[in-house]
Every structure is written in C-alpha cells, then in structure tokens.
C-alpha cells in the first residue's frame, strides 16, 4: 500500500500540523507502508522535492494553503 499525506505545512515550519504529519509518516513507514508528503511550496525559495528524515516531501504551488 502507498499513502500520500496532503498537509497545509511541513518542516522547516514548526507546529502541531507539521509534527502530526511527521509522526504519522514515520508510523506508516514503520508498518511498511510507503509514504510521501505533499505540501504547499511557500516560500517559493523552498526546494520542490527533498527527503526529510527518510520521508519524500514534494512541494507544489497551491492557490490556497
């Protein structure tokens, strides 16, 4: 099974949503479920793709957070 988590924010931002998404992604991966995180690309200087703590993160230009 594969899971995509769509989040309003993720690292390097810090907060409740970001921490919940991080923990959820790690738990899915611990259970053998491939997981990616898709998040708004703001500010635009953020990389479009990167791997954070083993979690693939894709930043997309979204009209709304």
């Amino acid at each position: 099974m594969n899971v995509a988590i769509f989040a309003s924010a993720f690292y390097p931002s810090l907060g409740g949503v970001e921490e919940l998404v991080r923990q959820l992604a790690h738990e899915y991966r611990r259970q053998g479920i491939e997981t990616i995180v898709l998040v708004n690309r703001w500010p635009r200087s953020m990389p479009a793709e990167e791997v954070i703590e083993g979690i693939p993160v894709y930043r997309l230009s979204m009209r709304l957070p």
Side-chain angles (χ1 to χ4, degrees):
M1 180 188 324
N2 298 317
V3 171
I5 301 172
F6 291 79
S8 58
F10 196 63
Y11 182 86
S13 299
L14 300 176
V17 169
E18 298 84 346
E19 182 61 19
L20 176 65
V21 170
R22 187 184 73 80
Q23 289 183 23
L24 184 60
H26 279 301
E27 180 59 23
Y28 279 140
R29 291 175 59 83
R30 187 188 70 74
Q31 293 179 23
I33 300 169
E34 290 298 320
T35 305
I36 63 170
V37 173
L38 296 112
V39 65
N40 192 15
R41 188 176 180 188
W42 187 257
R44 299 282 183 238
S45 59
M46 295 296 296
E49 299 178 13
E50 69 179 316
V51 176
I52 299 172
E53 298 179 3
I55 303 165
V57 177
Y58 298 92
R59 293 189 177 85
L60 309 170
S61 296
M62 298 180 191
R63 295 183 74 176
L64 299 171

